[in-house]
Amino acid sequence: MHVQAKHGSDKSEITTWCSQTPHPKPCEHFLGTDSNHRRPIKQKPDFLKALLEVTLDRARHAGSHTLTLGPKCRNKHEKAAWADCLELYEDTILRINNTVDPQQKCSQVDMQTWLSTALTNLETCKAGFEELGVSDYVLPLMNNNVSYLISNTLAMNNGGNLTNGAPSDQKFGFPSWFKTGDRKLLQSSSPRANIVVAQDGSGNYKTIGAAIAAAAKRSGSGRYVIHVKAGVYKENIEIGKKVKNIMLLGDGIGKTIITGSKSVGGGTTTFKSATLAVVGDGFIGRGITVRNTAGPQNHQAVAVRSGSDLSVFYQCSFEGYQDTLYVHSNRQFYRECDIYGTVDFIFGNAAVVLQNCNIYARNPPNKTNTLTAQGRTDQNQNTGISIHNCRITAASDLKGASGVKTYLGRPWKQYSRTVFMKSSLDSLIDPAGWMPWSGSFALNTLYYGEYMNTGPGSSTKKRVNWKGYHVITSSTEAAKFSVGNFIAGGSWLPATNVPFTSGL
């Protein structure tokens, strides 16, 4: 039996601290048995540090365990879901490690962001098995209480400062990888390219994939501009977590086109169906069309998935049907982009603002469109979808269609959070505004808001009467979802040289 060192935390002390968390039992169990943790817990920062360390330890353990499950996968579906989990656990470990690494600058809001992402990753891992209909024998082996521990750290870091589903005010600093000096490179309207991609052989590479592979080998992590000349590029692109500060610069919407057709109907997970997937932090996409051509009959088929922290898409177009734009995790900004789709076509669990964008609903196979499906699973995650000064209208194929109902969103997860502010809503929006996911699921815990929208679909007179739905009348409340507050845009967007409105 292990004898507790005198200077360590005793059991009653641990019990007292853990009682303040949403999941006290795993907290007590793992803090009590963690042989590495021998420091006394006198104050909340000590407790948070101890929690983070034990959470990182358990995440590493779960990641290693996941690795051993490979040989147990019996078919391609199980292997596909397992491969996602491996990647997602790796990112989870990286994000939690960033919160404890003494070399890494980490503010309270950074920590909340990266812990939110860590939890989202584990949910995505689980979802892959569920959507491919994989028997759940693997899943219990993956539940190593890591989700509960992350949830506890989120709650303690947040300080319980929650207002009615609206985000709390948090201070923001720069992560160590973010180079403010890169601004000079982006000052001109067309930044100087490091390398050029052209199908006719006039550039350095003929495919975007080859250019990304070259960028991954570069020394340093400063901004790296890849100019992709006009053309149709049939490739699925992944920009991994180690490839940071990449800018994909196209020749404009409809000119530089990246296209793919992976889908859940075709046997991949939603996560892996993306035509363009970006995880490396600090990504900028500009002047590009990204398509998923799997079609409405193939269910989830993503055009773009982003888990890139402090990332921007400017003057881009995303075309698909179900699940077009997967705003997976971390802090993201979209400006003057066009998004086309049918079911849940802006979805995920990032902290994201879409500003001055055009959102086009297409003609759906089952007569129902939902613009958003936000995936917050924990009330302390600092995530949500904020749609500001956008135009919501029908795509050309929907204009002549009859009997189609289009809704602003539906609650994919328990604490789903979405707001539409100062946007123009055409008559296609159903008077109820929002649609349930299943029965009364999440109707009391979600946060859906509308603020000063205009257009024939903007009347809130016949909107749903759910507890979590709000007609926002206070500018102070609405401002919490602005670029300046929700994603702290004033501190990092100027360096990207993309225009933005910080307030309402």
Side-chain angles (χ1 to χ4, degrees), residues 88 120-121 124 271 305-307 326-329 332 347-350:
L88 288 155
T120 301
N121 286 342
T124 308
F271 185 73
R305 163 172 58 84
S306 177
Y326 194 173
V327 290
H328 182 263
S329 54
Q332 309 181 17
F347 78 110
N349 197 23

Side-chain angles (χ1 to χ4, degrees), residues 302-333:
V302 174
V304 167
R305 163 172 58 84
S306 177
S308 169
D309 197 17
L310 308 182
S311 60
V312 177
F313 282 87
Y314 178 44
Q315 294 178 340
C316 289
S317 180
F318 314 114
E319 299 173 14
Y321 290 90
Q322 183 171 349
D323 290 5
T324 305
L325 177 58
Y326 194 173
V327 290
H328 182 263
S329 54
N330 288 303
R331 293 162 284 199
Q332 309 181 17
F333 180 61

Side-chain angles (χ1 to χ4, degrees), residues 332-346:
Q332 309 181 17
F333 180 61
Y334 295 76
R335 172 86 179 196
E336 293 166 40
C337 290
D338 298 336
I339 307 111
Y340 295 83
T342 52
V343 180
D344 306 338
F345 66 95
I346 301 167

Side-chain angles (χ1 to χ4, degrees), residues 190 226-233 248-258 285-291 314-319 336 338:
S190 185
I226 300 171
H227 176 199
V228 185
K229 285 189 172 179
V232 178
Y233 297 82
L248 276 190
L249 177 65
D251 282 342
I253 288 175
K255 292 178 181 169
T256 297
I257 298 164
I258 309 171
R286 180 166 157 187
I288 295 170
T289 290
V290 187
R291 287 182 185 145
Y314 178 44
Q315 294 178 340
C316 289
S317 180
F318 314 114
E319 299 173 14
E336 293 166 40
D338 298 336

Side-chain angles (χ1 to χ4, degrees), residues 127-450:
F129 280 92
E130 288 163 1
E131 68 192 7
L132 290 183
V134 174
S135 57
D136 58 4
Y137 79 96
V138 184
L139 277 175
L141 299 171
M142 293 183 158
N143 182 10
N144 283 279
N145 287 301
V146 184
S147 295
Y148 292 145
L149 291 170
I150 296 170
S151 189
N152 286 345
T153 52
L154 275 166
M156 292 311 292
N157 186 52
N158 199 43
N161 182 16
L162 277 176
T163 358
N164 203 17
S168 55
D169 300 320
Q170 293 180 313
K171 296 287 176 264
F172 184 87
F174 281 104
S176 60
W177 57 264
F178 191 79
K179 308 282 193 295
T180 49
D182 292 335
R183 187 174 181 182
K184 292 187 193 75
L185 181 64
L186 300 174
Q187 283 300 335
S188 65
S189 60
S190 185
R192 189 182 72 252
N194 294 80
I195 48 176
V196 175
V197 179
Q199 286 175 324
D200 62 8
S202 63
N204 306 85
Y205 298 95
K206 287 186 176 180
T207 67
I208 302 165
I212 298 296
K217 292 177 185 156
R218 79 193 196 274
S219 57
S221 61
R223 173 70 55 211
Y224 195 81
V225 180
I226 300 171
H227 176 199
V228 185
K229 285 189 172 179
V232 178
Y233 297 82
K234 290 183 179 172
E235 37 183 329
N236 287 80
I237 312 292
E238 285 202 37
I239 300 175
K241 61 181 179 295
K242 291 179 180 166
V243 193
K244 296 180 180 178
N245 283 320
I246 294 293
M247 180 179 192
L248 276 190
L249 177 65
D251 282 342
I253 288 175
K255 292 178 181 169
T256 297
I257 298 164
I258 309 171
T259 181
S261 59
K262 290 184 178 179
S263 66
V264 171
T268 71
T269 57
T270 302
F271 185 73
K272 270 287 183 280
S273 69
T275 301
L276 171 64
V278 186
V279 186
D281 293 337
F283 175 83
I284 301 175
R286 180 166 157 187
I288 295 170
T289 290
V290 187
R291 287 182 185 145
N292 189 314
T293 59
Q297 70 286 350
N298 275 308
H299 308 293
Q300 299 95 325
V302 174
V304 167
R305 163 172 58 84
S306 177
S308 169
D309 197 17
L310 308 182
S311 60
V312 177
F313 282 87
Y314 178 44
Q315 294 178 340
C316 289
S317 180
F318 314 114
E319 299 173 14
Y321 290 90
Q322 183 171 349
D323 290 5
T324 305
L325 177 58
Y326 194 173
V327 290
H328 182 263
S329 54
N330 288 303
R331 293 162 284 199
Q332 309 181 17
F333 180 61
Y334 295 76
R335 172 86 179 196
E336 293 166 40
C337 290
D338 298 336
I339 307 111
Y340 295 83
T342 52
V343 180
D344 306 338
F345 66 95
I346 301 167
F347 78 110
N349 197 23
V352 56
V353 181
L354 290 90
Q355 193 174 74
N356 295 36
C357 292
N358 295 305
I359 298 171
Y360 296 105
R362 299 174 103 163
N363 191 11
N366 64 352
K367 297 292 184 190
T368 306
N369 283 324
T370 40
L371 307 186
T372 66
Q374 205 281 328
R376 197 165 63 131
T377 59
D378 187 297
Q379 62 180 334
N380 289 300
Q381 285 178 308
N382 61 356
T383 55
I385 294 170
S386 173
I387 293 175
H388 180 217
N389 198 30
C390 292
R391 179 170 165 255
I392 293 89
T393 188
S396 55
D397 66 340
L398 181 59
K399 281 180 178 155
S402 61
V404 174
K405 293 194 162 197
T406 298
Y407 298 91
L408 298 173
R410 59 177 183 156
W412 181 29
K413 302 290 180 185
Q414 188 81 49
Y415 295 96
S416 187
R417 181 160 68 175
T418 304
V419 295
F420 283 77
M421 309 194 296
K422 291 192 166 178
S423 291
S424 163
L425 313 182
D426 271 1
S427 57
L428 78 163
I429 300 301
D430 188 86
W434 306 80
M435 179 183 164
W437 185 272
S438 175
S440 62
F441 171 73
L443 303 187
N444 293 337
T445 47
L446 58 77
Y447 182 97
Y448 286 165
E450 294 182 59

